[in-house]
């Protein structure tokens, strides 16, 4: 199993405080390390390209998620 602790942003951001915070975090990722936050579909595609299947997404503390992936056999 592969376990990732990541933020998973919604496909469409709304005007809520939580979504505005996620948008700021995404911009910080772009400006700082040159990365970005991803949606569940984007994580699924990324893992599939690496021969893994996303099996579960579990919401944990502080807007983070635990993504569980298993190798594609």
């Amino acid at each position: 199993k592969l376990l990732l602790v990541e933020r998973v942003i919604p496909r469409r951001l709304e005007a809520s405080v939580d979504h505005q915070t996620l948008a700021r975090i995404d911009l910080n990722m772009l400006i700082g390390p040159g990365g970005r936050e991803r949606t569940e579909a984007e994580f699924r595609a990324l893992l599939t390209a690496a021969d893994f299947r996303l099996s579960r997404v579990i919401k944990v503390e502080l807007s983070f998620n635990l993504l569980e992936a298993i190798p594609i056999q």
Side-chain angles (χ1 to χ4, degrees):
K1 288 184 186 179
L2 173 66
L3 299 176
L4 304 168
V5 178
E6 291 283 348
R7 287 184 181 90
V8 178
I9 62 171
R11 206 175 72 124
R12 184 175 187 154
L13 293 175
E14 299 173 0
S16 71
V17 173
D18 288 341
H19 285 201
Q20 289 174 2
T21 301
L22 286 173
R24 279 193 297 278
I25 291 168
D26 192 24
L27 284 172
N28 285 335
M29 285 290 293
L30 179 64
I31 293 168
R36 65 186 179 104
E37 302 297 340
R38 291 181 170 85
T39 64
E40 184 176 329
E42 290 170 323
F43 275 113
R44 192 174 304 281
L46 186 64
L47 289 164
T48 299
D51 292 329
F52 280 86
R53 180 178 59 84
L54 182 62
S55 58
R56 292 195 302 171
V57 177
I58 303 166
K59 179 81 174 152
V60 292
E61 297 290 321
L62 301 173
S63 76
F64 283 95
N65 295 275
L66 178 64
L67 290 84
E68 178 186 78
I70 55 176
I72 297 173
Q73 308 260 330

